[in-house]
Amino acid sequence: MRLHNFNAGPSILPLPVLEEAKANLVDHQGLGLSVLEMSHRSPPFEAIVDRAKGTLRRLLSLPDAYEILFLQGGASLQFAMVPLNLGAGGAYVNTGVWSQKAIKEAQITGCAPQVVWSDEAGGFRRVPAPGERLEVPAGAPYLHYTSNNTIFGTHFEHVPDADVPLVCDMSSDFLAAPHDPTRFSLVYAGAQKNAGPSGVTIVVGRRDVLRTFRGPATTPTMLRYQIHAEADSLYNTPSTFGIWVCALVFDWIEGLGGLEAMGRRNAEKARLLYDVIDRRSDLFRGHAERESRSLMNVTFTLPTPELEKRFLQDAERAGCIGLKGHRLVGGLRASIYNAMPRESVEVLADLMDRWQP
């Protein structure tokens, strides 16, 4: 029996994807070798990359002016690559840990980030509201924000207005619902939430942004978008197996009806949990303000640590794992990414609805 996997990442993968990967693991489509053994410069692997990019481009309705890169190093490496490639003085929205890490990394690179909004004093319970003014300095090379915050369970329902290029860390809500890619100069995401296995980083950016280097001359070759774009993501050996699994995930999403269908599916799953939290607010207390609630990471606490421990034990007996909240928030966190079946969310929601201290 498969467990109900609510881990924040690496997270659940679609069962059909795992089954297809298993069936082709030893002998990939009759070629006599595994993708794990395949040269990244061979025609069969080039076909995998083309397939992955083609399906992702269709899912995003991506214009020709945009390119897709498959890199490594996770969002954590992007925290440095963004300022090193786009220029010093970027503006940042601080909505929690991952925003703070991006700001710190920009400081380490000497790129002088400017924080233009923060909810640190409020405990990171909300994101800027639509229309809320962000004091972005004129001439800033970009505005950076994190669209979904896994630790605090907050989420941008809107795209911030800015007169400068937008950069977004979409690691935990990439492909979770439709978005207009033309609003952004660059988007990046670690694959291990919604798009594939750990070890692959997806970058989607305007061609002129990716292929025009604006950083210091001391920037290492491997940290330059231009190098990876010109080499079609094959400058060095990529995560070959990971990219193949991403291709399978993209196919799975497309087969379900694309991002419109995925967005509806994810909203329905989240509503099951938030309805219980709101109905039983004397017992389950959501961390995020209602207008900023995440559809990917539902964070909540119980009145005492002892009750939280007891609930976690009962949840594990019901087959629900990965629900322990991050140490900065405590409580519980249910990560319900794309591959999480509605049936698993129903098991957790039913347990919460009938649970008694």
Side-chain angles (χ1 to χ4, degrees):
M1 181 189 78
R2 283 179 59 80
L3 295 170
H4 307 295
N5 182 3
F6 292 92
N7 277 304
S11 59
I12 185 172
L13 283 164
L15 184 57
V17 167
L18 293 174
E19 290 173 337
E20 184 169 352
K22 176 184 176 182
N24 287 276
L25 179 61
V26 175
D27 184 358
H28 179 73
Q29 298 181 348
L31 293 177
L33 77 167
S34 171
V35 175
L36 290 164
E37 307 166 298
M38 193 178 288
S39 168
H40 65 291
R41 303 200 184 279
S42 65
F45 184 71
E46 290 176 356
I48 289 173
V49 173
D50 290 344
R51 168 185 170 186
K53 288 186 177 182
T55 310
L56 182 56
R57 186 172 288 276
R58 289 194 301 273
L59 287 171
L60 296 174
S61 299
L62 199 63
D64 290 340
Y66 284 74
E67 290 191 74
I68 298 167
L69 302 180
F70 294 114
L71 305 180
Q72 298 171 68
S76 295
L77 188 58
Q78 294 304 305
F79 297 161
M81 288 185 71
V82 166
L84 285 173
N85 284 267
L86 273 65
Y92 284 76
V93 178
N94 179 15
T95 51
V97 170
W98 302 111
S99 300
Q100 292 173 318
K101 287 181 180 289
I103 293 164
K104 181 179 179 180
E105 205 66 19
Q107 291 170 337
I108 291 172
T109 64
C111 290
Q114 307 175 75
V115 179
V116 298
W117 190 93
S118 176
D119 189 41
E120 185 170 6
F124 296 123
R125 295 179 180 274
R126 74 179 189 97
V127 301
E132 187 170 349
R133 185 172 177 79
L134 303 176
E135 300 294 337
V136 180
Y142 59 88
L143 172 65
H144 177 284
Y145 77 105
T146 305
S147 53
N148 186 80
N149 303 280
T150 56
I151 291 173
F152 298 98
T154 59
H155 172 69
F156 279 81
E157 283 289 336
H158 64 289
V159 176
D161 290 322
D163 296 325
V164 301
L166 268 183
V167 174
C168 186
D169 175 1
M170 285 191 182
S171 290
S172 54
D173 64 347
F174 187 63
L175 302 182
H179 74 269
D180 180 1
T182 64
R183 297 287 301 276
F184 302 90
S185 290
L186 188 144
V187 165
Y188 62 89
Q192 67 272 14
K193 315 288 188 178
N194 281 323
S198 58
V200 180
T201 308
I202 300 167
V203 174
V204 179
R206 284 204 335 252
R207 182 171 289 107
D208 63 309
V209 172
L210 293 177
R211 291 181 179 255
T212 304
F213 180 68
R214 299 173 177 84
T218 54
T219 301
T221 302
M222 279 291 291
L223 298 185
R224 300 184 184 216
Y225 291 128
Q226 182 182 22
I227 297 296
H228 295 287
E230 291 175 350
D232 199 23
S233 299
L234 299 176
Y235 175 74
N236 67 313
T237 305
S239 176
T240 53
F241 186 79
I243 292 171
W244 175 53
V245 176
C246 284
L248 299 181
V249 172
F250 301 159
D251 289 345
W252 174 77
I253 294 173
E254 190 172 51
L256 289 178
L259 299 189
E260 291 282 354
M262 190 59 66
R264 292 192 296 270
R265 169 186 168 120
N266 286 330
E268 291 169 0
K269 291 186 299 186
R271 191 176 303 116
L272 291 172
L273 297 180
Y274 286 125
D275 282 351
V276 179
I277 289 172
D278 292 339
R279 189 168 59 252
R280 304 199 66 192
S281 57
D282 58 325
L283 185 60
F284 301 109
R285 302 167 184 174
H287 177 80
E289 294 184 7
R290 290 195 182 202
E291 294 77 13
S292 297
R293 283 174 167 174
S294 169
L295 300 186
M296 299 283 96
N297 310 98
V298 180
T299 54
F300 57 98
T301 60
L302 278 75
T304 68
E306 178 58 33
L307 287 178
E308 291 172 353
K309 182 178 179 180
R310 285 172 50 194
F311 183 85
L312 283 170
Q313 290 171 343
D314 288 344
E316 288 193 10
R317 279 191 282 270
C320 299
I321 64 167
L323 285 168
K324 186 175 176 59
H326 192 276
R327 63 184 182 279
L328 292 177
V329 178
L332 290 88
R333 171 176 55 178
S335 296
I336 50 175
Y337 301 120
N338 284 357
M340 172 63 69
R342 179 188 174 99
E343 293 75 20
S344 291
V345 181
E346 289 174 343
V347 169
L348 177 59
D350 179 66
L351 176 62
M352 293 171 64
D353 204 23
R354 59 183 173 77
W355 196 75
Q356 295 297 327

